Amino acid sequence: MHAEERHQAILRRLREHGSLRVTEFAEELQVSPVTVRRDVEALAERGLVARVHGGAVLPETRTRTTGGEPRPRPHGEEPVLGLIVPAADYYFPEVIKGAREAAAEHGVRLVLGISQYSSDEERAQARQMLADGIDGLLITPCSFAVAQPWLAELPVPHVLVERRPGDDASDAERVVTDHVHGARLAVQHLAGTGHRRIGLMLRDDSPHGEPVLEGYRGGLAAAGLDAPGAGPFRLPPPAGEAAERERLLADFTTAVTDGLLDAALIHNDHDAIVVLQRLRARGIDVPGDVAIVAYDDEVASLADIPLTAIAPPKHAVGAAAVELLARRLADPGRARHRLAILPELHVRSSSV
């Protein structure tokens, strides 16, 4: 079959059924999916069809979608969920993996977007996903305050992933790690191994910082301990204020050498490893002089002294978010849910 014949067949199918799936239509024509995908692209360039994830619709169908209304899903076509996260190189790979596996179990297609910590890019990707016909959105907003107005206007249901509004006023469904519990768990472990001057270092740009601080303070209170005289240390990211970052790292090291700290919870892994290297360069023994627990457990085990760490249930969070949204699609009237999943403590040589 020549290209023009395939093009006419595609247009005829769309006029009759409103949409087509590339893989199914390729099998019907006995050609490869790549061939049909190229045909769809050629027709889209001519304005005759509109591409959507996995297939094509007539342009007027897409116009209804971009105008704010989700397109009707043809019978038998798998639902499509969008997932927008800030990055895919730290913390979120396991979230993505969990979501992908859960989507496969539910017969749902998952489409991924990376916002690169840009609220503008995040919204642009959400708009494109809606135009392409997603049935629901999973999203880790860069800033919930910025995203809340347009999230509230979405024509499809959405679930927040690893984000909780600060005032809890939003009725958005969400799946998060219980970071308060994680920090309490770290302090409980350090207190249980005999440490009494337990400090805290936080990455000051982390959306999880306040729950970690809350859990840290609660852990100290539960153990009958006072906050040490040094800290908490709120560390800028490596690309932030270099001079302030260096000052705080030096202050932390001095607090250890002066005996103000004999243990610390450090959020995140990267900063925990930097602190470990600086302490060892000063001849400070870890864990003999000071014990360290990292928070995130992305690369903590790879430190020259493997770091004990709090491990958020990232895979479970991704899977639960898909499960929650899939249930919402199946039963739009069901009660709204906020899920908090407990992290685990992975004990290694830095804290014993």
Side-chain angles (χ1 to χ4, degrees), residues 20-319:
L20 65 79
R21 297 282 296 169
V22 165
T23 53
E24 295 172 358
F25 200 64
E27 183 176 356
E28 182 176 327
L29 296 183
Q30 297 184 338
V31 297
S32 73
V34 172
T35 298
V36 175
R37 194 170 293 115
R38 288 172 178 166
D39 291 337
V40 168
E41 291 173 355
L43 290 169
E45 289 175 358
R46 293 159 57 188
L48 299 175
V49 306
R51 296 168 58 196
V52 297
H53 289 291
V57 296
L58 291 173
E60 59 266 28
T61 305
R62 174 147 182 183
T63 300
R64 289 196 297 269
T65 304
T66 56
E69 294 297 328
R71 66 180 176 89
R73 183 156 302 284
H75 178 70
E77 183 176 330
E78 62 184 357
V80 180
L81 302 183
L83 170 62
I84 301 176
V85 294
D89 57 351
Y90 184 90
Y91 198 96
F92 289 100
E94 276 298 308
V95 175
I96 295 167
K97 182 179 179 183
R100 185 177 67 242
E101 292 176 0
E105 291 177 3
H106 283 273
V108 172
R109 185 175 178 211
L110 190 69
V111 180
L112 178 65
I114 308 296
S115 68
Q116 302 179 78
Y117 293 96
S118 165
S119 293
D120 290 342
E121 178 65 20
E122 177 180 272
R123 188 172 187 184
Q125 292 192 20
R127 284 172 172 164
Q128 184 60 58
M129 288 180 175
L130 288 169
D132 288 343
I134 60 169
D135 298 280
L137 179 66
L138 306 160
I139 184 168
T140 304
C142 303
S143 165
F144 182 74
V146 173
Q148 185 177 20
W150 63 263
L151 285 174
E153 299 299 323
L154 285 179
V156 298
H158 69 279
V159 169
L160 302 180
V161 182
E162 286 290 33
R163 291 292 186 268
R164 63 180 77 213
D167 59 5
D168 269 345
S170 169
D171 63 354
E173 294 193 286
R174 67 183 185 229
V175 180
V176 299
T177 295
D178 190 337
H179 295 294
V180 175
H181 175 81
R184 287 178 66 102
L185 193 61
V187 173
Q188 177 185 347
H189 168 73
L190 290 168
T193 51
H195 299 91
R196 293 295 176 265
R197 301 180 301 281
I198 304 171
L200 175 66
M201 178 177 285
L202 290 172
R203 179 68 71 82
D204 70 358
D205 63 338
S206 171
H208 307 149
E210 290 310 308
V212 170
L213 177 59
E214 179 185 343
Y216 164 76
R217 289 171 171 165
L220 289 179
L225 301 176
D226 294 326
F233 298 86
R234 293 182 176 271
L235 201 65
E241 301 174 21
E244 178 66 5
R245 181 177 170 86
E246 286 300 317
R247 184 187 69 79
L248 289 169
L249 287 169
D251 287 351
F252 180 89
T253 304
T254 299
V256 173
T257 58
D258 289 350
L260 298 178
L261 300 177
D262 65 0
L265 169 62
I266 302 178
H267 179 286
N268 57 30
D269 284 12
H270 289 172
D271 291 333
I273 291 176
V274 169
V275 168
L276 172 65
Q277 293 168 340
R278 293 190 177 219
L279 292 174
R280 298 194 73 198
R282 289 280 297 273
I284 298 170
D285 181 55
V286 178
D289 297 322
V290 60
I292 293 176
V293 174
Y295 201 105
D296 276 354
D297 206 23
E298 282 288 309
V299 292
S301 64
L302 302 178
D304 48 1
I305 296 176
L307 295 174
T308 292
I310 296 296
K314 295 169 280 236
H315 187 282
V317 165

Side-chain angles (χ1 to χ4, degrees), residues 319-342:
V322 168
E323 174 79 18
L324 187 60
L325 191 50
R327 288 180 178 274
R328 170 66 52 200
L329 292 174
D331 181 10
R334 74 190 297 261
R336 306 185 75 79
H337 287 64
R338 295 173 176 172
L339 304 182
I341 306 178
L342 301 183

Side-chain angles (χ1 to χ4, degrees), residues 6-14 20 25 39-40 43:
R6 294 195 304 272
H7 293 178
Q8 292 303 318
I10 290 171
L11 294 172
R12 187 164 52 251
R13 173 60 60 86
L14 292 178
L20 65 79
F25 200 64
D39 291 337
V40 168
L43 290 169

